[in-house]
Amino acid sequence: MYGDRPRFRQPIGMGGRSAGPPPRDVLVLLGVLFLTYSLQFFEAFQPLIEYLKLSRDIWLRGHLWQLATYPFVAEKSWPFYFLLSLLITFWFGRDVFRFLGRRQFWQVLAWGFGAGAIVAMVVQVLMDLAGAQVAAPFILLQGQGIVLTVLISAFGTVYRNATILMFFVLPLKASWFPGLYILFAFMSFLTTKDFAGFLGVCAAVGVTTQTLSGRGLGRTLREWRLRIERKVLEARLERMKKKRGMRIVKPPEDDEPSGGPWIN
């Protein structure tokens, strides 16, 4: 799928040094997150920050631009944790950028950002209609949350055979990272009750890994569509059999035509 990307079979790793300068795109991303995080502490800029964050205003007031701006508006947190998240973003973003190149790097981010926001938004709408109130929806996706979701998932996919020392001590296979991130997101959900945000994280992880796994997102979506169509067809045939007393004869698999079962 990504035939023209620069491939690096081994990541630099956490704390490792690269022979070249850090990717400018990753530094710009970190700079934007740092800027929006800082602006939240100034009262004059708080309305602007809220205007750009992911919120219910997407469907209540038509603020559709939040689907594009929310990844770049950092979630307010304790400064130490925020700086730590920027450092982790740099480590993973640097290696993913080296593997994919600029164009594919931003394409993967866009797919992950979009999938996470859309799934979370649909789930939250359904929850609101059902009367399930959540004080702070989308907190797990906001800003550095969705950025880390996509970058860690991408890293675990493209460098799946690499071994990384977590906390510089615990060796982990990179292929475990997407699953571990979902586990951490679930633990955060237990605290925040942000069910829509948690499902958005799961969607972003799934789309990112499928996009980079070699199968391609388009092929995966087509396979899901064909499976659904087959299930619908089988259900219709079953209803026809019960309603009209028809007998469905399934030929041997080697001789079965593409049209599916025969009906007598």
Side-chain angles (χ1 to χ4, degrees):
M1 182 176 179
Y2 294 112
D4 60 341
R5 65 191 176 194
R7 294 177 177 270
F8 292 82
R9 296 190 177 277
Q10 290 297 327
I12 299 173
M14 298 182 180
R17 294 184 177 182
S18 174
R24 183 178 303 175
D25 297 63
V26 176
L27 295 180
V28 170
L29 178 59
L30 296 177
V32 172
L33 288 172
F34 184 83
L35 175 63
T36 54
Y37 175 83
S38 302
L39 292 178
Q40 295 179 75
F41 293 91
F42 297 92
E43 186 175 353
F45 292 101
Q46 288 179 1
L48 173 63
I49 296 300
E50 295 300 323
Y51 207 59
L52 300 177
K53 281 186 174 183
L54 195 65
S55 71
R56 291 185 173 94
D57 289 340
I58 291 178
W59 63 87
L60 295 179
R61 297 180 175 83
H63 294 179
L64 297 180
W65 59 81
Q66 293 180 356
L67 295 173
T69 58
Y70 86 95
F72 308 103
V73 181
E75 178 62 28
K76 197 171 184 180
S77 61
W78 191 40
F80 172 79
Y81 288 124
F82 175 70
L83 292 177
L84 180 61
S85 71
L86 289 188
L87 181 60
I88 297 174
T89 300
F90 172 75
W91 282 334
F92 285 106
R94 174 185 58 182
D95 285 328
V96 172
F97 188 91
R98 289 173 71 244
F99 189 95
L100 297 179
R102 174 174 286 109
R103 181 170 62 87
Q104 286 82 14
F105 176 81
W106 288 107
Q107 284 180 353
V108 169
L109 286 181
W111 274 110
F113 294 166
I118 291 173
V119 169
M121 181 178 63
V122 171
V123 171
Q124 190 60 51
V125 169
L126 296 177
M127 291 178 62
D128 288 349
L129 292 176
Q133 297 296 325
V134 178
F138 314 127
I139 192 172
L140 297 181
L141 285 179
Q142 186 60 48
Q144 66 270 28
I146 188 63
V147 173
L148 280 174
T149 298
V150 177
L151 289 180
I152 291 177
S153 301
F155 180 92
T157 304
V158 298
Y159 290 112
R160 59 180 299 106
N161 294 321
T163 299
I164 302 298
L165 292 178
M166 190 173 185
F167 305 121
F168 306 99
V169 177
L170 181 63
L172 292 176
K173 292 280 290 186
S175 59
W176 299 352
F177 283 14
L180 287 174
Y181 194 88
I182 290 179
L183 175 61
F184 293 150
F186 178 75
M187 300 305 294
S188 297
F189 154 68
L190 297 178
T191 303
T192 63
K193 310 303 180 184
D194 181 15
F195 184 63
F198 170 67
L199 291 187
V201 167
C202 294
V205 171
V207 167
T208 302
T209 55
Q210 286 296 323
T211 301
L212 295 172
S213 64
R215 295 166 57 85
L217 180 61
R219 178 180 174 184
T220 301
L221 293 177
R222 285 194 297 271
E223 289 180 355
W224 288 350
R225 177 176 60 82
L226 291 174
R227 290 176 183 175
I228 293 174
E229 291 177 352
R230 180 175 180 178
K231 293 295 183 181
V232 171
L233 178 59
E234 290 176 350
R236 288 178 179 175
L237 292 175
E238 187 67 24
R239 287 198 300 269
M240 291 172 62
K241 181 184 71 172
K242 293 179 179 180
K243 183 177 181 180
R244 302 181 182 179
M246 293 185 297
R247 183 169 58 93
I248 298 179
V249 180
K250 188 171 182 180
E253 294 184 359
D254 294 339
D255 300 329
E256 183 177 348
S258 58
W262 296 344
I263 302 177
N264 290 339

